[in-house]
Amino acid sequence: MSIKRVPRLTITVGFLCILFCTDPAQAQPERSAPPQVEIRGSRLEHLTSAIVGQEYDLCVNLPRGYQDTSKAFPVMFLLDAQWDFPLLHALYGQQYYDGFIPGAIIVGITWGGVNPNHDSLRARDLTPTVVRQQSASGGAPKFLKFIKNELIPYIEQNYRAAKSGRTLIGSSFGGLFTLYALLQETALFDRYVLTSPAVGWDNEVLFSFEKEYAAKNTQLPVRLFIGIGGLEGDGVVEFQKFVAQLKSRSYKGLELETKVLEGIGHSGSKAEGYTKGLQWVFARPMLSLSREILDQYIGKYQVAPQVSIEITNDDGCLVMVVPGNTRIPLLAENKEKFFVKGIYLMVRFKKNEVGKVTGVEVEQYSGTTFAQKVN
């Protein structure tokens, strides 16, 4: 496997200077091309696979706070980055800002080399079997080995990537490959997000792969989201048929969410589907805690000399009352950590060595504040 590293891309913002000429008859200097604008915080890598015999381009986006060398981050692996990396980058930023998903490294995978034909290359790498109508097909087994044996080790060696919490994301042929990976290398990823999968490929061979998996396994311990556009015609029927077969197994550990996206077509399913999918697979637990646990947090917390917040217990739910008498319900992620759904706001209660609550740490997108418990 040969590897070529490319330095972080320079981000250029703004416009070229405008050249003025006082004499309209004077020859105008040739206008140079505007600078290219790349995605801020992203970089490009080239990785040549010995398994596939193919150079791949990797679009890598690093999360906010990556400069903290004590932290490792989950990784989202995105297929068809040549089209969808800008889309996922934008959706990730929105969902992170709204507190739905954690900071994560995004690795977009696409095909490199000179003038790559993305249509034929994706038909080769993302399909699990050869069909006569598509001569360049059936390369998914090799592509999956590339991801497992070359790509993931490379990312974990060169980035602070957590070894757990991996997510695989794909659509259409990419959705087909995502389901193929789920059934062939289940433990490789913890989360799977896909839309509009080509489940009818090769006379529904995917159904046979699932049947073979079910014959050997009773567990499928992953979080899986599958969406499809409501306007995809027969694709919706095939989608529902595959989902029904999957549900009929009653796999232990499988957390499954499916959604037909009304008024959406094949390609358009990615924007809404990826959004819903990321929210689903990264959803925090919402625990119901005893009154005894909640009551220990009730009280007044001093943020600044003239600023305080109050924590109350309203019918089994903690509520944070901030200046202006705004009341914010808090959902329990665990016994000491709470959050607000749809807002980047996390609350962590702090205790001393004897277990007495001493304060609360409030984390917002703008930063973290500590408030000391005063009564």
Side-chain angles (χ1 to χ4, degrees):
M1 175 173 59
S2 63
I3 298 169
K4 295 184 285 181
R5 301 297 304 276
V6 177
R8 189 181 181 108
L9 296 174
T10 301
I11 308 301
T12 306
V13 180
F15 300 93
L16 294 175
C17 296
I18 301 175
L19 302 178
F20 293 93
C21 178
T22 57
D23 183 359
Q26 183 177 338
Q28 300 294 313
E30 184 178 348
R31 183 176 183 271
S32 59
Q36 291 186 347
V37 178
E38 307 292 351
I39 296 178
R40 185 181 300 275
S42 298
R43 60 182 64 179
L44 178 65
E45 302 246 17
H46 302 299
L47 178 61
T48 299
S49 169
I51 295 172
V52 182
Q54 171 73 46
E55 181 180 83
Y56 292 95
D57 285 351
L58 309 177
C59 304
V60 182
N61 183 76
L62 302 179
R64 188 171 184 250
Y66 187 78
Q67 65 273 16
D68 183 347
T69 57
S70 67
K71 294 182 179 180
F73 296 86
V75 184
M76 300 178 186
F77 291 89
L78 171 71
L79 304 171
D80 283 324
Q82 74 278 0
W83 300 323
D84 297 339
F85 183 73
L87 171 65
L88 184 63
H89 179 274
L91 296 177
Y92 161 80
Q94 296 163 6
Q95 299 309 305
Y96 175 76
Y97 184 85
D98 285 346
F100 284 108
I101 61 177
I105 299 168
I106 302 174
V107 177
I109 312 165
T110 187
W111 295 267
V114 180
N115 298 322
N117 185 325
H118 294 119
D119 288 335
S120 64
L121 289 170
R122 67 190 297 270
R124 179 196 70 188
D125 284 354
L126 302 180
T127 58
T129 55
V130 176
V131 298
R132 285 188 305 171
Q133 301 90 331
Q134 187 78 52
S135 57
S137 57
K142 283 188 176 181
F143 186 61
L144 183 55
K145 287 181 180 178
F146 155 69
I147 291 175
K148 179 182 179 180
N149 299 328
E150 295 177 328
L151 176 58
I152 290 176
Y154 176 71
I155 294 298
E156 292 182 349
Q157 178 182 353
N158 291 282
Y159 295 92
R160 291 198 311 281
K163 294 185 181 298
S164 61
R166 299 188 198 115
T167 304
L168 182 61
I169 305 172
S171 187
S172 193
F173 274 171
L176 170 64
F177 178 84
T178 300
L179 289 173
Y180 173 76
L182 168 70
L183 298 171
Q184 299 298 316
E185 291 284 355
T186 306
L188 195 56
F189 300 92
D190 299 308
R191 303 177 179 90
Y192 294 80
V193 175
L194 60 132
T195 61
S196 303
V199 294
W201 174 264
D202 193 6
N203 297 314
E204 300 182 341
V205 69
L206 192 66
F207 290 77
S208 298
F209 289 139
E210 192 281 331
K211 186 177 179 180
E212 291 170 4
Y213 181 90
K216 300 176 183 178
N217 301 274
T218 59
Q219 299 186 18
L220 190 57
V222 300
R223 304 202 84 184
L224 169 63
F225 176 90
I226 315 175
I228 192 167
L231 302 180
E232 294 195 54
D234 291 342
V236 178
V237 177
E238 293 174 336
F239 163 85
Q240 292 171 333
K241 179 181 176 182
F242 181 78
V243 168
Q245 179 169 315
L246 200 60
K247 288 182 175 180
S248 71
R249 308 299 186 190
S250 299
Y251 289 115
K252 294 179 182 178
L254 175 61
E255 298 179 71
L256 172 65
E257 177 78 356
T258 66
K259 190 171 183 63
V260 176
L261 309 168
E262 298 299 336
I264 299 295
H266 183 73
S267 183
S269 67
K270 288 179 281 192
E272 184 179 351
Y274 287 176
T275 297
K276 298 294 186 183
L278 290 174
Q279 289 181 356
W280 163 252
V281 299
F282 283 102
R284 298 182 178 92
M286 293 184 288
L287 304 180
S288 179
L289 301 180
S290 69
R291 185 177 188 86
E292 180 182 7
I293 293 175
L294 296 179
D295 282 351
Q296 66 182 319
Y297 302 128
I298 293 175
K300 185 177 181 180
Y301 295 77
Q302 202 74 41
V303 179
Q306 303 299 321
V307 181
S308 64
I309 60 175
E310 186 177 356
I311 301 293
T312 65
N313 182 356
D314 286 4
D315 295 327
C317 177
L318 283 190
V319 174
M320 182 169 65
V321 185
V322 300
N325 203 37
T326 300
R327 300 172 64 83
I328 304 174
L330 304 177
L331 303 173
E333 183 173 348
N334 58 43
K335 292 181 179 180
E336 297 177 352
K337 184 177 179 181
F338 296 75
F339 67 98
V340 180
K341 193 170 184 179
I343 301 176
Y344 192 117
L345 198 158
M346 276 72 78
V347 173
R348 302 176 185 86
F349 290 95
K350 301 297 182 179
K351 297 180 180 179
N352 60 19
E353 61 277 1
V354 296
K356 182 179 179 180
V357 178
T358 58
V360 64
E361 188 178 80
V362 181
E363 180 183 346
Q364 298 175 279
Y365 187 81
S366 57
T368 300
T369 302
F370 179 78
Q372 185 175 357
K373 195 172 190 293
V374 293
N375 68 15

